Amino acid sequence: MRIKTKTDDFCVEEVLHFAPAKKELPFRLFLLEKEGWNTSDAIREAAVRKKVPLGNIRSLGRKDRHARTVQFLSVPAEFDLACEGEGFSVRSAGYSLKQLEPAVLKGNRFSLVLRDMDGREAERTEIRLERIARRGFANYFDDQRFGNVGSKGEFFAEMLVKRRFDAALRKYFSFCHPEAPGYLKKRKALLAEKWGQWDAMEPLCTEPLLKKMLSLLKKKGRDGVLACLRLIPAEEMGMFFSAYTSFLWNETLSRFLRGEDGELFPVELRTGTVFQYAELPGELLQRLAAEPLPVAGPDMPALSPDFDGVFSRLLAERGVRLSKFRLKEISQAYFASFPRQCAVLPEDMEWKREEDGLFPGKVALRLRFFLPRGSYATMLLKSAGKVQEPRT
């Protein structure tokens, strides 16, 4: 199946736990509707147009630029964010007592079109969708969570946990997205190759932050490594931490499922293979729906013995200890543990088959459903068939 052929083939709308108030309160809520924009850039554009300090704007997460998305923003009541531009609009949605925070997001409503299927593939997909509607799917973090993961399964945050600060900074200087243009990959590879040769690296560092870091390294040598790491913006460092703990969560659940009875099948992610369930014993399904698995952190609660055994072996295999997740050397971010549901059941799920207007002779499925906060529609789709997404 092919998804996101057009931006309106993948529509996402946030749903809050509360209805915005109509009467004036300390904070205003707005709806950002966009396509072809990532969330950060759209918010930044609205902030510039309306002269609102960026630090006063809150959102509940990032939404895909290859989609039509509707999400909430909040600002102190004295500011007005309403505006529109090419590919985005911001309109008033009411008031709130507080700035938006993750706990107020109930989930997301999805409206999707799955394209370019022959009749046989469409039939198989519908059978799997029927199964997912009845029995749900393993709630893995999907590839969107792992945009900053490098080659060979190396995690920047794991290097920090292992106190390999020099290697982590070298990775930061040389990292680029797998689909980055060739000239950028070449420049980043040269930075890795010339690591420690500060003068030789200077013409290769075009990014302002890397220039600032390199200046520190030229003055202090490797004694400046920690100071450089502390210059990484808090949001970016938090994303590195989240990618790593999400990988550990996925691996723990996948390995646990492989040790249980049931029918499983592989799903390929950027970080490796995880195993999704087709069928599981009823008692185990009930447990996965009711018993959350905490994301790794130094203050995470005790796990049940079977999950703890899997998790402990995984940490040992990767050469890390949970106590080392308390990174006093890095002040701008931290590993926060939170419970995550192991299996999720989509709500209000429905679909219909139709002729594909973009791919003659092919079939499309028009699909709607609701997922709770933190669950990935793309993981649901990967549980229903082979997914082809657009290149970023």
Side-chain angles (χ1 to χ4, degrees):
M1 73 181 78
R2 191 187 297 267
I3 66 172
K4 303 179 185 178
T5 308
K6 304 189 300 176
T7 51
D8 59 358
D9 279 353
F10 202 101
C11 299
V12 189
E13 183 179 357
E14 287 184 344
V15 178
L16 302 181
H17 279 293
F18 68 94
K22 295 182 179 179
K23 67 176 183 178
E24 190 168 339
L25 291 171
F27 296 93
R28 294 187 68 179
L29 297 180
F30 291 86
L31 280 172
L32 166 63
E33 185 168 355
K34 63 177 185 63
E35 56 180 83
W37 289 77
N38 65 48
T39 298
S40 299
D41 288 345
I43 291 175
R44 192 174 293 110
E45 178 68 17
V48 169
R49 288 177 181 234
K50 301 298 289 189
K51 296 180 171 59
V52 178
L54 199 57
N56 284 296
I57 304 174
R58 297 286 186 275
S59 71
L60 295 170
R62 302 181 175 200
K63 293 288 189 285
D64 194 342
R65 69 183 178 92
H66 295 291
R68 177 175 292 173
T69 66
V70 181
Q71 63 187 114
F72 285 91
L73 307 175
S74 67
V75 293
E78 62 264 30
F79 296 114
D80 180 9
L81 261 185
C83 64
E84 62 180 77
E86 185 176 353
F88 81 95
S89 67
V90 182
R91 66 182 190 273
S92 180
Y95 294 88
S96 172
L97 283 169
K98 300 189 298 183
Q99 284 274 42
L100 291 174
E101 54 188 26
V104 305
L105 179 62
K106 182 179 181 181
N108 293 281
R109 187 177 293 114
F110 295 89
S111 179
L112 316 178
V113 182
L114 318 180
R115 297 188 180 275
D116 196 19
M117 293 182 284
D118 60 26
R120 180 182 253 171
E121 182 183 3
E123 184 177 352
R124 286 197 303 265
T125 301
E126 288 188 274
I127 290 171
R128 290 167 181 162
L129 288 173
E130 288 174 0
R131 183 192 68 218
I132 291 169
R134 288 184 288 106
R135 304 181 72 76
F137 62 99
N139 195 25
Y140 293 117
F141 293 96
D142 206 351
D143 282 337
Q144 300 93 309
R145 194 79 166 188
F146 306 114
N148 51 31
V149 174
S151 61
K152 302 176 183 177
E154 294 177 324
F155 288 86
F156 179 82
E158 186 171 80
M159 292 178 176
L160 297 181
V161 168
K162 293 178 177 179
R163 274 52 179 184
R164 295 173 54 208
F165 298 127
D166 187 87
L169 188 61
R170 177 178 180 268
K171 178 179 176 64
Y172 186 77
F173 267 75
S174 59
F175 174 79
C176 66
H177 194 278
E179 296 178 1
Y183 72 87
L184 180 57
K185 289 181 177 179
K186 184 177 180 180
R187 178 166 66 85
K188 292 294 188 176
L190 284 171
L191 278 170
E193 180 184 315
K194 295 180 183 298
W195 182 249
Q197 304 171 45
W198 312 131
D199 290 332
M201 290 172 59
E202 191 163 12
L204 299 169
C205 290
T206 59
E207 299 88 341
L209 180 56
L210 296 191
K211 287 181 178 180
K212 187 173 183 179
M213 289 179 173
L214 187 61
S215 177
L216 263 174
L217 293 169
K218 290 177 73 174
K219 290 176 184 176
K220 298 184 176 182
R222 283 185 161 83
D223 291 339
V225 166
L226 268 176
C228 290
L229 290 171
R230 293 179 185 128
L231 291 176
I232 297 174
E235 183 180 12
E236 187 177 8
M237 185 67 82
M239 289 174 64
F240 285 129
F241 284 18
S242 294
Y244 181 46
T245 55
S246 299
F247 162 75
L248 294 175
W249 192 94
N250 278 4
E251 277 293 298
T252 301
L253 179 58
S254 182
R255 294 181 184 201
F256 170 80
L257 288 176
R258 292 192 74 184
E260 300 293 318
D261 294 331
E263 181 186 341
L264 306 177
F265 60 92
V267 173
E268 296 300 325
L269 300 181
R270 185 176 294 166
T271 53
T273 304
V274 295
F275 284 84
Q276 184 60 261
Y277 66 81
E279 295 289 343
L280 289 177
E283 189 175 320
L284 179 57
L285 262 181
Q286 291 176 8
R287 180 187 173 189
L288 293 177
E291 180 184 323
L293 175 62
V295 170
D299 299 316
M300 68 187 295
L303 303 180
S304 58
D306 46 6
F307 270 116
D308 185 62
V310 174
F311 180 64
S312 297
R313 287 190 294 273
L314 173 60
L315 292 187
E317 178 184 305
R318 300 193 70 86
V320 295
R321 298 199 307 272
L322 196 59
S323 60
K324 295 296 185 180
F325 280 61
R326 202 178 299 281
L327 267 169
K328 296 179 181 178
E329 298 89 343
I330 304 296
S331 56
Q332 68 267 46
Y334 61 94
F335 289 103
S337 178
F338 59 91
R340 180 175 176 83
Q341 195 173 345
C342 293
V344 65
L345 189 70
E347 298 177 23
D348 305 323
M349 188 165 165
E350 59 183 26
W351 63 89
K352 65 177 182 178
R353 190 190 293 208
E354 59 186 42
E355 291 184 8
D356 193 331
L358 295 183
F359 297 92
K362 294 298 183 73
V363 174
L365 292 178
R366 198 168 290 273
L367 175 64
R368 294 170 58 88
F369 54 88
F370 172 86
L371 289 179
R373 172 169 64 101
S375 296
Y376 290 82
T378 48
M379 182 55 64
L380 183 154
L381 297 179
K382 289 175 183 178
S383 304
K386 187 176 181 180
V387 174
Q388 185 176 345
E389 297 189 58
R391 293 175 67 88
T392 55

